[in-house]
């Protein structure tokens, strides 16, 4: 703010000074008044009612269930290892591709075994000729029984050696033990491998199962044929109904949990190893109100929700039950017709006015 003084005679300036001072004070007072008026409007705006969305409580029969953690497993899974040591001469691992049972995955150098087998076959041929000749002589008593028995023994020994060598040759070929999908290749052609070497993995994904654990106290809730609900995270989330196949014969001594296996339906779009949430029904139902999880405020002693009563926010203690992916059941503390704040909970204060922007009735 600037003040301009015009050029006046000395006497005039003395008389005008009080007038100028009074005008400056009046101007400053006016500016201060405008600032207070603006601040008052902003304060009134900030102290207005909070905008919220509400859900009108409508209790319904909700079946109680126990939630457990699990994981998807393939019906069959194997790590492909060679049975003998040697150098890979053939390797055909189509990563991520499906193969049929018996498909050759890899071969190990078997030149030495092939040579040994040819040698044994030659010896076997000579032993059979000797046996045939001695058999004819034995019929005319041209040779004693002991010599003939020795020839028979040599033939059988050579046959056993040939069979053993043939078994070793079969071990140099790694085949798919069942139809399934190959995993990632772990070795390269020409590598020297041993029975401890993993060539690849193979899993049958046509029948998928989910293994989950239950506390021993809830072991009686499941038996072969029980249908459980399996939920998988994702966009969008997936839910399947699985049928219990079997359960472990004993409780884990460390965790005191019981492992249960359920079969997923054909066509389930999940991969082995995927984390799953399993809901096991308890067989009992009770009246509950399903609310979005963001409407619940956890507390030390009890959970709370915000109700709208007579245009003001009211805190209400509630007791919660089963929790689903995005909903939670309130089993006590709410009555039919209560308006529960579902959006804008953090902007409400007990006893302060609120304004309902949108109300929804649970169908």
């Amino acid at each position: 703010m600037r003040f301009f003084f015009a050029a006046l005679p000395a006497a005039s300036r003395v008389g005008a000074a009080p007038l100028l001072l009074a005008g400056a004070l009046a101007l400053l007072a006016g500016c201060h008044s405008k600032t207070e008026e603006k601040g008052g409007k902003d304060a009134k705006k900030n102290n207005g009612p909070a905008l919220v969305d509400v859900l009108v409580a409508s209790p319904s029969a909700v079946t109680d269930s126990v939630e457990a953690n699990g994981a998807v497993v393939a019906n069959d899974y194997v790590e492909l290892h060679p049975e003998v040591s040697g150098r890979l001469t053939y390797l055909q691992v189509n990563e991520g591709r499906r193969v049929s049972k018996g498909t050759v995955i890899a071969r190990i150098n078997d030149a030495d075994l092939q040579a040994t087998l040819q040698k044994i076959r030659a010896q076997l041929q000579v032993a059979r000729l000797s046996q045939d000749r001695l058999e004819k002589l034995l019929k005319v008593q041209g040779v004693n029984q002991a010599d003939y028995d020795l020839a028979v023994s040599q033939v059988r020994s050579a046959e056993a050696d040939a069979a053993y060598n043939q078994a070793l040759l079969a071990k140099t070929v790694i085949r798919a033990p069942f139809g399934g999908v190959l995993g990632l290749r772990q070795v390269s052609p020409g590598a020297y491998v041993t029975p401890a070497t993993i060539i690849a993995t193979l899993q049958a994904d046509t029948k998928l199962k989910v293994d989950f654990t239950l506390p021993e106290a809830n072991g009686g809730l499941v038996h072969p044929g029980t249908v459980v609900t399996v939920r998988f995270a994702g966009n969008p989330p997936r839910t399947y109904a699985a049928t219990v196949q079997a359960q472990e014969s004993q409780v884990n001594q460390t965790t005191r949990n019981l492992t249960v296996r359920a079969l997923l339906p054909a066509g389930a779009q999940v991969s082995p190893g995927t984390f799953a949430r399993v809901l096991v029904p308890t067989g009992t139902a009770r009246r509950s109100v399903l609310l979005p999880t963001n409407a619940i405020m956890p507390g030390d002693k009890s959970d709370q929700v915000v109700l709208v009563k007579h245009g003001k926010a009211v805190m209400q203690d509630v007791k919660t039950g089963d929790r689903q992916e995005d909903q939670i059941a309130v089993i006590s503390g709410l009555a039919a017709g209560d308006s529960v704040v579902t959006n804008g909970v953090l902007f409400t204060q007990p006893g302060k006015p609120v304004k309902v922007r949108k109300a929804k009735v649970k169908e």
Side-chain angles (χ1 to χ4, degrees):
M1 183 178 300
R2 298 179 180 178
F3 300 96
F4 297 92
F5 296 90
L8 296 173
S12 300
R13 286 200 300 268
V14 173
L19 295 175
L20 291 174
L21 180 60
L25 292 174
L27 182 60
L28 288 173
C31 293
H32 183 67
S33 176
K34 290 182 179 180
T35 303
E36 286 184 347
E37 182 181 355
K38 183 178 179 181
K41 289 182 179 180
D42 291 342
K44 184 176 180 182
K45 183 178 179 180
N46 292 335
N47 291 332
L51 294 178
V52 297
D53 296 339
V54 300
L55 174 68
V56 179
S58 177
S60 58
V62 178
T63 302
D64 287 344
S65 59
V66 175
E67 184 174 317
N69 295 333
V72 177
V73 295
N75 189 54
D76 293 301
Y77 172 83
V78 68
E79 293 179 344
L80 298 175
H81 293 259
E83 294 187 70
V84 294
S85 300
R87 193 168 302 280
L88 287 175
T89 58
Y90 173 84
L91 183 63
Q92 187 66 32
V93 179
N94 295 322
E95 299 173 324
R97 300 292 183 88
R98 189 176 301 277
V99 295
S100 57
K101 180 179 180 179
T103 301
V104 177
I105 305 298
R107 294 180 184 272
I108 296 176
N109 183 16
D110 61 354
D112 54 340
L113 295 176
Q114 291 287 1
T116 302
L117 181 60
Q118 291 182 3
K119 178 181 178 181
I120 294 173
R121 286 175 176 173
Q123 294 173 346
L124 178 60
Q125 184 178 7
V126 173
R128 284 174 176 170
L129 291 175
S130 177
Q131 177 187 354
D132 293 341
R133 185 167 53 252
L134 290 177
E135 184 178 3
K136 294 177 181 179
L137 292 174
L138 182 62
K139 291 180 180 179
V140 296
Q141 296 183 354
V143 67
N144 57 37
Q145 185 67 37
D147 292 337
Y148 175 75
D149 292 342
L150 180 59
V152 172
S153 176
Q154 290 176 346
V155 170
R156 292 179 178 175
S157 178
E159 290 176 344
D161 289 342
Y164 174 74
N165 205 75
Q166 195 70 44
L168 292 179
L169 281 170
K171 292 181 178 181
T172 62
V173 181
I174 296 93
R175 301 177 182 271
F178 50 82
V181 178
L182 286 169
L184 301 180
R185 189 183 69 181
Q186 304 296 321
V187 294
S188 299
Y192 185 87
V193 295
T194 67
T197 305
I198 299 177
I199 295 177
T201 60
L202 178 67
Q203 54 189 5
D205 61 347
T206 53
K207 289 177 63 178
L208 295 176
K209 299 170 287 189
V210 57
D211 286 356
F212 60 96
T213 56
L214 284 175
E216 58 179 332
N218 297 325
L221 297 178
V222 293
H223 54 79
T226 300
V227 178
V228 298
T229 302
V230 184
R231 300 180 184 275
F232 299 99
N235 189 17
R238 292 151 294 170
T239 302
Y240 300 101
T243 305
V244 173
Q245 283 186 314
Q247 60 188 46
E248 192 61 69
S249 58
Q250 66 176 7
V251 175
N252 187 290
Q253 298 294 322
T254 303
T255 63
R256 312 308 305 176
N257 289 334
L258 182 67
T259 302
V260 184
R261 175 167 293 174
L263 180 65
L264 289 169
Q269 299 298 316
V270 291
S271 301
T274 303
F275 175 79
R277 295 189 180 276
V278 183
L279 300 179
V280 181
T282 62
T284 59
R286 51 184 167 182
R287 303 286 292 178
S288 304
V289 178
L290 291 177
L291 295 179
T293 52
N294 60 342
I296 305 295
M297 294 185 295
D300 295 335
K301 296 182 179 180
S302 64
D303 296 332
Q304 290 183 323
V305 297
V306 180
L307 302 181
V308 177
K309 291 186 177 181
H310 307 295
K312 295 183 178 180
V314 177
M315 305 299 294
Q316 177 66 39
D317 293 338
V318 294
K319 183 178 181 181
T320 57
D322 295 333
R323 181 184 295 269
Q324 300 178 4
E325 186 171 356
D326 55 355
Q327 289 185 322
I328 187 169
V330 176
I331 58 180
S332 66
L334 292 179
D338 284 345
S339 297
V340 184
V341 176
T342 58
N343 190 11
V345 175
L346 298 179
F347 300 103
T348 60
Q349 297 180 12
K352 297 294 184 179
V354 295
K355 183 178 180 180
V356 177
R357 179 174 51 190
K358 182 172 60 176
K360 180 180 179 182
V361 179
K362 189 73 173 179
E363 298 179 357

